Structure formats: C-alpha cells, structure tokens
Amino acid sequence: LKKILEKKKINSKNFLLASTAVYEILLGRNILKKKVFLHHHHRIRTINLFENDFANSKKICMYRDPRQLYSSGILNWNKYEKKTRSIAFNYYVLSRSITEIQSIKDKKNTLVVKLETLGNKDIILKICDWLNIKYEKTLARSTFGGLQWWSDKISLKKKAKHELGFSNKMIKTSWRENFYFHQKIVLNHIMHKQIKHYNYKIDIGS
C-alpha cells in the first residue's frame, strides 16, 4: 500500500484506489485488466462522500420487500444482540426500511436491483450490460474474495452443504409468518408507496 501511494497525494480517493489495488494483488488478480471496481456502501449516507471523489459513478442499490427488510432486521439483530430488543431499535429498522432508499439523489446513475431477483440470470445480464462488462459464470456464484459466501454472522439462514451456486434461502420471504393479522395491515398501509413502486404484492393482513 505504501509503495502504491508513493508520490501520490494522500486523500480519500487515492487511498481507496490503492487499497482496492492491494486487495486484488493479494488475490493474485491482474489489476491492469480491471474495467470496474465495486465498492460496497453499507449505508446510503456515505454515498455522497464517495461521489465527491468519484463524480458520476454508477450505483447499484440493493432493495427487497420492505416488510421483509423490517422483519429480518428485527429478528436477526434481536437474536444476535440483546440490546436491540427495544421499541427504539424497532422504530430505527422500520424507518430505514421505508425511507432510506428515498435518500438517493442521483437517480440517473442508479440501478435499483431487487434482492429477490438475484438468482435470475437475466437480471445479472442486465447489470453487466449497464456496467458494460462481460458476463462470466462466476457471477452466478455467491463469493467474497474468491471464496463461497452466503451471509454474515447476523443472518439466521444457513446454506445447505450441497449448494454450490446461488442460495435461494438467502432471498426467502418469510415476513408473513412473523406478524399478526393486524400488524400486517399496518405494515401494508405505512409501506404502501414502496410496495407499489417496486411491484411487490400488496397484501391486506394476508
């Protein structure tokens, strides 16, 4: 990293580029063949800072049924960390499930991809076309650093040993099983705008 940054101005842009290059080199990859580098933002609020360094960069925004976002966010965190078992945390997850995606300002350079469609090759081809890259079979496998990866330690869902490619368990919709009838009605009401906009089924207390 020090060698790559030698004679370079030390700023956030150059540090990120150098860190990405070091990561690729350690994995034995040829960085000179790279056309695109993908930087993961776990929070939308950091995107504006990224855009200060990389103007007009393209953004892939992952989204899923907001009711499932809320359900899995509560269940997974509650089992992982006891201090999240509070009304305040529930409200925090609910608020993010509804409003966070709306904070993206650069709609022109943003592609919203529904999590539930990730196992669909046509969707992967669409992303490749949008990024102007060639489709490779490895894109159908869930990997991190070249190793198979399905979820972090907070996720409750675990893959079966025989699964070698994309795991459908990661996109299973189970929110209906986790709420009472009246709670489903409330969720469908307050999330109606997002549910309709992204073409999810509008249930009434399903």
Side-chain angles (χ1 to χ4, degrees), residues 119-143:
N120 188 325
K121 183 178 179 180
D122 289 338
I123 298 299
I124 304 299
L125 288 171
K126 180 180 178 181
I127 296 173
C128 290
D129 183 62
W130 190 67
L131 292 174
N132 192 29
I133 60 175
K134 186 175 66 172
Y135 174 81
E136 298 285 352
K137 289 183 179 180
T138 54
L139 293 174
R141 300 171 72 90
S142 182
T143 61

PDB file of all heavy atoms in Angstrom, residues 119-143:
ATOM      1  N   GLY A 119     -31.194 -14.478  -8.235  1.00  0.00           N
ATOM      2  CA  GLY A 119     -30.924 -15.785  -8.799  1.00  0.00           C
ATOM      3  C   GLY A 119     -31.293 -15.883 -10.265  1.00  0.00           C
ATOM      4  O   GLY A 119     -31.096 -16.924 -10.894  1.00  0.00           O
ATOM      5  N   ASN A 120     -31.792 -14.788 -10.843  1.00  0.00           N
ATOM      6  CA  ASN A 120     -32.247 -14.751 -12.232  1.00  0.00           C
ATOM      7  C   ASN A 120     -31.104 -14.295 -13.145  1.00  0.00           C
ATOM      8  O   ASN A 120     -30.597 -13.181 -13.008  1.00  0.00           O
ATOM      9  CB  ASN A 120     -33.434 -13.791 -12.344  1.00  0.00           C
ATOM     10  CG  ASN A 120     -34.096 -13.820 -13.702  1.00  0.00           C
ATOM     11  OD1 ASN A 120     -33.439 -13.991 -14.724  1.00  0.00           O
ATOM     12  ND2 ASN A 120     -35.402 -13.642 -13.720  1.00  0.00           N
ATOM     13  N   LYS A 121     -30.714 -15.132 -14.072  1.00  0.00           N
ATOM     14  CA  LYS A 121     -29.598 -14.800 -14.958  1.00  0.00           C
ATOM     15  C   LYS A 121     -29.891 -13.547 -15.776  1.00  0.00           C
ATOM     16  O   LYS A 121     -28.980 -12.755 -16.060  1.00  0.00           O
ATOM     17  CB  LYS A 121     -29.294 -15.973 -15.894  1.00  0.00           C
ATOM     18  CG  LYS A 121     -28.085 -15.720 -16.801  1.00  0.00           C
ATOM     19  CD  LYS A 121     -27.780 -16.931 -17.671  1.00  0.00           C
ATOM     20  CE  LYS A 121     -26.595 -16.645 -18.594  1.00  0.00           C
ATOM     21  NZ  LYS A 121     -26.257 -17.796 -19.449  1.00  0.00           N
ATOM     22  N   ASP A 122     -31.139 -13.342 -16.183  1.00  0.00           N
ATOM     23  CA  ASP A 122     -31.490 -12.151 -16.968  1.00  0.00           C
ATOM     24  C   ASP A 122     -31.178 -10.874 -16.206  1.00  0.00           C
ATOM     25  O   ASP A 122     -30.799  -9.863 -16.802  1.00  0.00           O
ATOM     26  CB  ASP A 122     -32.976 -12.183 -17.351  1.00  0.00           C
ATOM     27  CG  ASP A 122     -33.285 -13.249 -18.393  1.00  0.00           C
ATOM     28  OD1 ASP A 122     -32.352 -13.665 -19.106  1.00  0.00           O
ATOM     29  OD2 ASP A 122     -34.453 -13.674 -18.491  1.00  0.00           O
ATOM     30  N   ILE A 123     -31.354 -10.909 -14.893  1.00  0.00           N
ATOM     31  CA  ILE A 123     -31.060  -9.737 -14.073  1.00  0.00           C
ATOM     32  C   ILE A 123     -29.555  -9.478 -14.045  1.00  0.00           C
ATOM     33  O   ILE A 123     -29.097  -8.337 -14.162  1.00  0.00           O
ATOM     34  CB  ILE A 123     -31.596  -9.928 -12.641  1.00  0.00           C
ATOM     35  CG1 ILE A 123     -33.120 -10.077 -12.652  1.00  0.00           C
ATOM     36  CG2 ILE A 123     -31.176  -8.762 -11.748  1.00  0.00           C
ATOM     37  CD1 ILE A 123     -33.855  -8.871 -13.208  1.00  0.00           C
ATOM     38  N   ILE A 124     -28.776 -10.554 -13.901  1.00  0.00           N
ATOM     39  CA  ILE A 124     -27.321 -10.421 -13.897  1.00  0.00           C
ATOM     40  C   ILE A 124     -26.836  -9.881 -15.246  1.00  0.00           C
ATOM     41  O   ILE A 124     -25.937  -9.031 -15.313  1.00  0.00           O
ATOM     42  CB  ILE A 124     -26.633 -11.768 -13.596  1.00  0.00           C
ATOM     43  CG1 ILE A 124     -27.141 -12.340 -12.265  1.00  0.00           C
ATOM     44  CG2 ILE A 124     -25.122 -11.595 -13.565  1.00  0.00           C
ATOM     45  CD1 ILE A 124     -26.876 -11.464 -11.070  1.00  0.00           C
ATOM     46  N   LEU A 125     -27.442 -10.353 -16.334  1.00  0.00           N
ATOM     47  CA  LEU A 125     -27.082  -9.871 -17.670  1.00  0.00           C
ATOM     48  C   LEU A 125     -27.412  -8.385 -17.815  1.00  0.00           C
ATOM     49  O   LEU A 125     -26.659  -7.630 -18.445  1.00  0.00           O
ATOM     50  CB  LEU A 125     -27.828 -10.674 -18.742  1.00  0.00           C
ATOM     51  CG  LEU A 125     -27.353 -12.121 -18.945  1.00  0.00           C
ATOM     52  CD1 LEU A 125     -28.307 -12.863 -19.876  1.00  0.00           C
ATOM     53  CD2 LEU A 125     -25.930 -12.148 -19.508  1.00  0.00           C
ATOM     54  N   LYS A 126     -28.517  -7.975 -17.230  1.00  0.00           N
ATOM     55  CA  LYS A 126     -28.910  -6.566 -17.273  1.00  0.00           C
ATOM     56  C   LYS A 126     -27.891  -5.699 -16.540  1.00  0.00           C
ATOM     57  O   LYS A 126     -27.518  -4.619 -17.017  1.00  0.00           O
ATOM     58  CB  LYS A 126     -30.290  -6.391 -16.639  1.00  0.00           C
ATOM     59  CG  LYS A 126     -30.791  -4.951 -16.632  1.00  0.00           C
ATOM     60  CD  LYS A 126     -32.167  -4.858 -15.981  1.00  0.00           C
ATOM     61  CE  LYS A 126     -32.641  -3.404 -15.932  1.00  0.00           C
ATOM     62  NZ  LYS A 126     -33.976  -3.294 -15.270  1.00  0.00           N
ATOM     63  N   ILE A 127     -27.434  -6.186 -15.404  1.00  0.00           N
ATOM     64  CA  ILE A 127     -26.420  -5.453 -14.640  1.00  0.00           C
ATOM     65  C   ILE A 127     -25.117  -5.364 -15.426  1.00  0.00           C
ATOM     66  O   ILE A 127     -24.470  -4.311 -15.481  1.00  0.00           O
ATOM     67  CB  ILE A 127     -26.185  -6.132 -13.276  1.00  0.00           C
ATOM     68  CG1 ILE A 127     -27.461  -6.074 -12.428  1.00  0.00           C
ATOM     69  CG2 ILE A 127     -25.023  -5.466 -12.534  1.00  0.00           C
ATOM     70  CD1 ILE A 127     -27.368  -6.871 -11.140  1.00  0.00           C
ATOM     71  N   CYS A 128     -24.721  -6.472 -16.047  1.00  0.00           N
ATOM     72  CA  CYS A 128     -23.495  -6.490 -16.858  1.00  0.00           C
ATOM     73  C   CYS A 128     -23.584  -5.485 -17.993  1.00  0.00           C
ATOM     74  O   CYS A 128     -22.617  -4.768 -18.281  1.00  0.00           O
ATOM     75  CB  CYS A 128     -23.252  -7.894 -17.420  1.00  0.00           C
ATOM     76  SG  CYS A 128     -22.783  -9.129 -16.193  1.00  0.00           S
ATOM     77  N   ASP A 129     -24.722  -5.451 -18.660  1.00  0.00           N
ATOM     78  CA  ASP A 129     -24.924  -4.521 -19.765  1.00  0.00           C
ATOM     79  C   ASP A 129     -24.845  -3.089 -19.276  1.00  0.00           C
ATOM     80  O   ASP A 129     -24.242  -2.230 -19.927  1.00  0.00           O
ATOM     81  CB  ASP A 129     -26.283  -4.794 -20.415  1.00  0.00           C
ATOM     82  CG  ASP A 129     -26.524  -3.905 -21.627  1.00  0.00           C
ATOM     83  OD1 ASP A 129     -25.743  -4.001 -22.599  1.00  0.00           O
ATOM     84  OD2 ASP A 129     -27.477  -3.098 -21.605  1.00  0.00           O
ATOM     85  N   TRP A 130     -25.424  -2.821 -18.116  1.00  0.00           N
ATOM     86  CA  TRP A 130     -25.424  -1.473 -17.542  1.00  0.00           C
ATOM     87  C   TRP A 130     -24.017  -1.023 -17.161  1.00  0.00           C
ATOM     88  O   TRP A 130     -23.654   0.141 -17.308  1.00  0.00           O
ATOM     89  CB  TRP A 130     -26.347  -1.461 -16.327  1.00  0.00           C
ATOM     90  CG  TRP A 130     -26.633  -0.113 -15.769  1.00  0.00           C
ATOM     91  CD1 TRP A 130     -27.345   0.898 -16.351  1.00  0.00           C
ATOM     92  CD2 TRP A 130     -26.228   0.382 -14.490  1.00  0.00           C
ATOM     93  NE1 TRP A 130     -27.411   1.978 -15.517  1.00  0.00           N
ATOM     94  CE2 TRP A 130     -26.733   1.690 -14.359  1.00  0.00           C
ATOM     95  CE3 TRP A 130     -25.507  -0.172 -13.428  1.00  0.00           C
ATOM     96  CZ2 TRP A 130     -26.537   2.468 -13.229  1.00  0.00           C
ATOM     97  CZ3 TRP A 130     -25.307   0.603 -12.294  1.00  0.00           C
ATOM     98  CH2 TRP A 130     -25.814   1.908 -12.205  1.00  0.00           C
ATOM     99  N   LEU A 131     -23.194  -1.979 -16.699  1.00  0.00           N
ATOM    100  CA  LEU A 131     -21.815  -1.671 -16.308  1.00  0.00           C
ATOM    101  C   LEU A 131     -20.835  -1.811 -17.465  1.00  0.00           C
ATOM    102  O   LEU A 131     -19.655  -1.520 -17.320  1.00  0.00           O
ATOM    103  CB  LEU A 131     -21.380  -2.602 -15.174  1.00  0.00           C
ATOM    104  CG  LEU A 131     -22.073  -2.414 -13.828  1.00  0.00           C
ATOM    105  CD1 LEU A 131     -21.634  -3.504 -12.855  1.00  0.00           C
ATOM    106  CD2 LEU A 131     -21.774  -1.037 -13.247  1.00  0.00           C
ATOM    107  N   ASN A 132     -21.346  -2.314 -18.606  1.00  0.00           N
ATOM    108  CA  ASN A 132     -20.517  -2.538 -19.793  1.00  0.00           C
ATOM    109  C   ASN A 132     -19.390  -3.529 -19.513  1.00  0.00           C
ATOM    110  O   ASN A 132     -18.223  -3.295 -19.846  1.00  0.00           O
ATOM    111  CB  ASN A 132     -19.937  -1.204 -20.306  1.00  0.00           C
ATOM    112  CG  ASN A 132     -19.326  -1.336 -21.688  1.00  0.00           C
ATOM    113  OD1 ASN A 132     -19.750  -2.174 -22.491  1.00  0.00           O
ATOM    114  ND2 ASN A 132     -18.330  -0.528 -21.974  1.00  0.00           N
ATOM    115  N   ILE A 133     -19.779  -4.643 -18.889  1.00  0.00           N
ATOM    116  CA  ILE A 133     -18.819  -5.709 -18.635  1.00  0.00           C
ATOM    117  C   ILE A 133     -19.367  -7.023 -19.197  1.00  0.00           C
ATOM    118  O   ILE A 133     -20.560  -7.152 -19.441  1.00  0.00           O
ATOM    119  CB  ILE A 133     -18.516  -5.893 -17.126  1.00  0.00           C
ATOM    120  CG1 ILE A 133     -19.805  -6.242 -16.367  1.00  0.00           C
ATOM    121  CG2 ILE A 133     -17.853  -4.647 -16.564  1.00  0.00           C
ATOM    122  CD1 ILE A 133     -19.569  -6.565 -14.905  1.00  0.00           C
ATOM    123  N   LYS A 134     -18.487  -7.995 -19.389  1.00  0.00           N
ATOM    124  CA  LYS A 134     -18.885  -9.280 -19.957  1.00  0.00           C
ATOM    125  C   LYS A 134     -19.390 -10.210 -18.862  1.00  0.00           C
ATOM    126  O   LYS A 134     -18.862 -10.241 -17.756  1.00  0.00           O
ATOM    127  CB  LYS A 134     -17.687  -9.920 -20.673  1.00  0.00           C
ATOM    128  CG  LYS A 134     -18.021 -11.205 -21.423  1.00  0.00           C
ATOM    129  CD  LYS A 134     -16.808 -11.709 -22.198  1.00  0.00           C
ATOM    130  CE  LYS A 134     -15.695 -12.140 -21.288  1.00  0.00           C
ATOM    131  NZ  LYS A 134     -14.585 -12.817 -22.003  1.00  0.00           N
ATOM    132  N   TYR A 135     -20.426 -10.960 -19.210  1.00  0.00           N
ATOM    133  CA  TYR A 135     -20.967 -11.928 -18.251  1.00  0.00           C
ATOM    134  C   TYR A 135     -19.997 -13.102 -18.076  1.00  0.00           C
ATOM    135  O   TYR A 135     -19.450 -13.617 -19.038  1.00  0.00           O
ATOM    136  CB  TYR A 135     -22.322 -12.469 -18.737  1.00  0.00           C
ATOM    137  CG  TYR A 135     -22.874 -13.570 -17.863  1.00  0.00           C
ATOM    138  CD1 TYR A 135     -23.536 -13.280 -16.674  1.00  0.00           C
ATOM    139  CD2 TYR A 135     -22.703 -14.914 -18.225  1.00  0.00           C
ATOM    140  CE1 TYR A 135     -24.029 -14.297 -15.862  1.00  0.00           C
ATOM    141  CE2 TYR A 135     -23.200 -15.939 -17.415  1.00  0.00           C
ATOM    142  CZ  TYR A 135     -23.859 -15.624 -16.235  1.00  0.00           C
ATOM    143  OH  TYR A 135     -24.342 -16.637 -15.444  1.00  0.00           O
ATOM    144  N   GLU A 136     -19.778 -13.485 -16.839  1.00  0.00           N
ATOM    145  CA  GLU A 136     -18.947 -14.650 -16.522  1.00  0.00           C
ATOM    146  C   GLU A 136     -19.742 -15.574 -15.606  1.00  0.00           C
ATOM    147  O   GLU A 136     -20.560 -15.126 -14.802  1.00  0.00           O
ATOM    148  CB  GLU A 136     -17.659 -14.213 -15.814  1.00  0.00           C
ATOM    149  CG  GLU A 136     -16.749 -13.305 -16.633  1.00  0.00           C
ATOM    150  CD  GLU A 136     -15.989 -14.054 -17.716  1.00  0.00           C
ATOM    151  OE1 GLU A 136     -16.054 -15.305 -17.722  1.00  0.00           O
ATOM    152  OE2 GLU A 136     -15.332 -13.392 -18.529  1.00  0.00           O
ATOM    153  N   LYS A 137     -19.491 -16.859 -15.711  1.00  0.00           N
ATOM    154  CA  LYS A 137     -20.220 -17.836 -14.905  1.00  0.00           C
ATOM    155  C   LYS A 137     -20.027 -17.606 -13.403  1.00  0.00           C
ATOM    156  O   LYS A 137     -20.884 -17.955 -12.593  1.00  0.00           O
ATOM    157  CB  LYS A 137     -19.782 -19.252 -15.268  1.00  0.00           C
ATOM    158  CG  LYS A 137     -20.249 -19.714 -16.643  1.00  0.00           C
ATOM    159  CD  LYS A 137     -19.825 -21.156 -16.906  1.00  0.00           C
ATOM    160  CE  LYS A 137     -20.314 -21.628 -18.266  1.00  0.00           C
ATOM    161  NZ  LYS A 137     -19.907 -23.036 -18.538  1.00  0.00           N
ATOM    162  N   THR A 138     -18.906 -17.028 -13.036  1.00  0.00           N
ATOM    163  CA  THR A 138     -18.634 -16.788 -11.620  1.00  0.00           C
ATOM    164  C   THR A 138     -19.658 -15.828 -11.004  1.00  0.00           C
ATOM    165  O   THR A 138     -19.827 -15.807  -9.776  1.00  0.00           O
ATOM    166  CB  THR A 138     -17.231 -16.187 -11.429  1.00  0.00           C
ATOM    167  OG1 THR A 138     -17.097 -15.019 -12.246  1.00  0.00           O
ATOM    168  CG2 THR A 138     -16.162 -17.189 -11.814  1.00  0.00           C
ATOM    169  N   LEU A 139     -20.318 -15.038 -11.852  1.00  0.00           N
ATOM    170  CA  LEU A 139     -21.318 -14.096 -11.339  1.00  0.00           C
ATOM    171  C   LEU A 139     -22.552 -14.816 -10.796  1.00  0.00           C
ATOM    172  O   LEU A 139     -23.361 -14.221 -10.086  1.00  0.00           O
ATOM    173  CB  LEU A 139     -21.730 -13.107 -12.441  1.00  0.00           C
ATOM    174  CG  LEU A 139     -20.645 -12.144 -12.899  1.00  0.00           C
ATOM    175  CD1 LEU A 139     -21.119 -11.319 -14.099  1.00  0.00           C
ATOM    176  CD2 LEU A 139     -20.229 -11.217 -11.757  1.00  0.00           C
ATOM    177  N   ALA A 140     -22.694 -16.079 -11.124  1.00  0.00           N
ATOM    178  CA  ALA A 140     -23.826 -16.869 -10.625  1.00  0.00           C
ATOM    179  C   ALA A 140     -23.498 -17.539  -9.292  1.00  0.00           C
ATOM    180  O   ALA A 140     -24.329 -18.248  -8.726  1.00  0.00           O
ATOM    181  CB  ALA A 140     -24.220 -17.934 -11.649  1.00  0.00           C
ATOM    182  N   ARG A 141     -22.293 -17.294  -8.791  1.00  0.00           N
ATOM    183  CA  ARG A 141     -21.879 -17.882  -7.517  1.00  0.00           C
ATOM    184  C   ARG A 141     -21.744 -16.792  -6.470  1.00  0.00           C
ATOM    185  O   ARG A 141     -21.315 -15.678  -6.772  1.00  0.00           O
ATOM    186  CB  ARG A 141     -20.556 -18.627  -7.675  1.00  0.00           C
ATOM    187  CG  ARG A 141     -20.608 -19.758  -8.689  1.00  0.00           C
ATOM    188  CD  ARG A 141     -19.219 -20.305  -8.962  1.00  0.00           C
ATOM    189  NE  ARG A 141     -18.718 -21.076  -7.837  1.00  0.00           N
ATOM    190  CZ  ARG A 141     -18.920 -22.390  -7.695  1.00  0.00           C
ATOM    191  NH1 ARG A 141     -19.597 -23.064  -8.606  1.00  0.00           N
ATOM    192  NH2 ARG A 141     -18.441 -23.035  -6.666  1.00  0.00           N
ATOM    193  N   SER A 142     -22.130 -17.108  -5.272  1.00  0.00           N
ATOM    194  CA  SER A 142     -22.032 -16.152  -4.175  1.00  0.00           C
ATOM    195  C   SER A 142     -20.650 -16.251  -3.552  1.00  0.00           C
ATOM    196  O   SER A 142     -20.325 -17.229  -2.875  1.00  0.00           O
ATOM    197  CB  SER A 142     -23.113 -16.455  -3.129  1.00  0.00           C
ATOM    198  OG  SER A 142     -23.059 -15.506  -2.089  1.00  0.00           O
ATOM    199  N   THR A 143     -19.812 -15.233  -3.793  1.00  0.00           N
ATOM    200  CA  THR A 143     -18.430 -15.290  -3.315  1.00  0.00           C
ATOM    201  C   THR A 143     -18.006 -13.971  -2.683  1.00  0.00           C
ATOM    202  O   THR A 143     -18.565 -12.913  -2.943  1.00  0.00           O
ATOM    203  CB  THR A 143     -17.453 -15.601  -4.463  1.00  0.00           C
ATOM    204  OG1 THR A 143     -17.554 -14.557  -5.449  1.00  0.00           O
ATOM    205  CG2 THR A 143     -17.764 -16.933  -5.114  1.00  0.00           C
TER     206      THR A 143
END
